[in-house]
Amino acid sequence: MSFEVIVIGGNFAGLSAAMQLARARRRVLLVDAGAPRNRFSQASHGFLGQDGQTPAAIMREGKRQLSLYPTVAIRDGKVIQAVADGGEFAVRMDDGGEERAARIVLATGISDTLPEIPGLRERWGRSVLHCPYCHGYEVSGGALGVLATLPLSSHAALLLPDWGETTYFTQALFEPDNDQLTQMTARSVRIERSPIVELLGDNPKLEAVRLADGRVVPLDAVFVAAKTAMASPIAEQLGCAFDDGPLGPVIRTGDNKETTVKGVFAAGDAANAMHNATLASASGVLAGVHCHQSLVMQTAQQAVLPRTFRRQI
């Protein structure tokens, strides 16, 4: 076995996990398909020490630093299959190659499913945004909208007035209840019940939205909670359990980031209900640290077992 750990995914979570293992001098393979969820964003914000850097630049520097460790290999490619095999894991890549390791860290990420509204998809990550903490400051002072996609959208509408004048678009589907309406009124949130049918402006800039009743409402940015799905089938292939998150499935992990499959750890958006660059990186650190400790404890227990067996004889 040439590697002790295979980390699948090279975004913030995967790089952070691999770094901990590299510094523990473990043999690590990082496999990165090169299609991170944040590839549509111009900059990463709120990430201490990296505020304003492009996600691509952060990942590029992370890989450069990781490559300085002699026990690390980095491979560009997509993992298409992973199976448990004789106390190890066999991982097959799209180029036909196969590697084996005692542990796997899944940092496979998630994919976003956006509402089918003309002009929305091409502005994703620019003027159509998912997180006010990540992007609110850059559009502050403007006319902001929340496009409701689920009941939780009302929570975003309560937050956004700290960044700008806010309109909550119910899409004729997610009407606020009496308590929510009272709270929105207290926060000066405007309620618009006619659905958005088109986004207008010189892409990627947003200037206004067209409503189903024909009106045009000026907007500088719109926030939308996209429904999410696993970006990779690997966790399901391995038999990992999932929980229902607010936006989609989440890989179930314990506090140590180990999944329900022994030896498989998970980090990042695929294993976090809350999605944020710092949280993804932090969960990667936890996964890497606990993955290393599981290797240590396995070796220690194997050393103890023969002595215990001899005492029993």
Side-chain angles (χ1 to χ4, degrees):
M1 182 178 61
S2 56
F3 297 102
E4 293 170 283
V5 184
I6 296 175
V7 178
I8 305 175
N11 204 337
F12 301 156
L15 289 168
S16 297
M19 180 63 78
Q20 306 309 308
L21 291 158
R23 292 187 58 76
R25 305 195 301 170
R26 295 291 176 160
R27 300 187 305 279
V28 182
L29 172 63
L30 176 78
V31 184
D32 183 24
R37 184 191 187 196
N38 56 14
R39 65 190 181 276
F40 303 104
S41 296
Q42 290 179 302
S44 179
H45 293 290
F47 195 170
L48 185 62
Q50 301 291 346
D51 190 49
Q53 293 289 327
T54 65
I58 297 171
M59 287 181 280
R60 190 163 52 246
E61 176 61 14
K63 286 183 179 179
R64 185 196 70 78
Q65 294 178 7
L66 196 57
S67 69
L68 300 177
Y69 289 84
T71 60
V72 174
I74 300 175
R75 182 178 300 178
D76 294 330
K78 185 177 182 179
V79 173
I80 59 173
Q81 186 180 44
V83 296
D85 183 19
E88 300 174 356
F89 297 96
V91 172
R92 187 157 62 92
M93 264 69 76
D94 55 358
D95 62 2
E98 181 176 299
E99 299 290 351
R100 302 174 73 86
R103 300 287 187 274
I104 288 179
V105 176
L106 298 174
T108 44
I110 56 178
S111 60
D112 297 293
T113 300
L114 297 166
E116 293 294 335
I117 298 175
L120 190 147
R121 183 175 299 276
E122 53 265 41
R123 291 176 171 84
W124 180 236
R126 305 296 183 90
S127 52
V128 176
L129 307 165
H130 78 290
C131 170
Y133 296 103
C134 301
H135 304 289
Y137 188 86
E138 283 62 45
V139 295
S140 60
L144 309 179
V146 174
L147 192 158
T149 56
L150 69 171
L152 191 62
S153 296
S154 61
H155 180 65
L158 291 175
L159 298 176
L160 269 181
D162 277 9
W163 286 274
E165 183 180 326
T166 302
T167 301
Y168 175 72
F169 295 88
T170 70
Q171 295 301 99
L173 294 172
F174 300 100
E175 179 71 21
D177 61 29
N178 289 335
D179 288 344
Q180 291 169 338
L181 189 58
T182 298
Q183 292 171 335
M184 288 185 187
T185 300
R187 293 281 283 159
S188 300
V189 176
R190 179 172 173 264
I191 310 295
E192 179 54 71
R193 294 175 172 84
S194 183
I196 295 174
V197 296
E198 184 181 8
L199 277 69
L200 307 172
D202 187 12
N203 181 48
K205 184 179 179 182
L206 176 64
E207 296 176 2
V209 293
R210 191 186 310 280
L211 305 184
D213 62 11
R215 286 180 294 133
V216 173
V217 177
L219 275 187
D220 296 299
V222 62
F223 287 78
V224 54
K227 295 179 181 178
T228 62
M230 291 291 115
S232 166
I234 301 302
E236 185 176 3
Q237 288 178 8
L238 288 167
C240 299
F242 296 84
D243 291 321
D244 293 327
L247 304 177
V250 178
I251 300 172
R252 184 182 301 165
T253 66
D255 292 340
N256 65 349
K257 304 308 293 181
E258 189 169 23
T259 70
T260 54
V261 177
K262 188 173 179 58
V264 178
F265 296 77
D269 289 354
N272 294 345
M274 291 183 65
H275 303 150
N276 173 283
T278 306
L279 294 175
S281 180
S283 69
V285 170
L286 286 174
V289 166
H290 287 291
C291 181
H292 168 248
Q293 292 180 7
S294 77
L295 290 167
V296 171
M297 294 309 299
Q298 181 181 42
T299 302
Q301 289 167 357
Q302 287 172 345
V304 168
L305 284 174
R307 292 199 299 272
T308 303
F309 180 72
R310 286 195 297 270
R311 285 197 298 270
Q312 290 173 346
I313 294 176

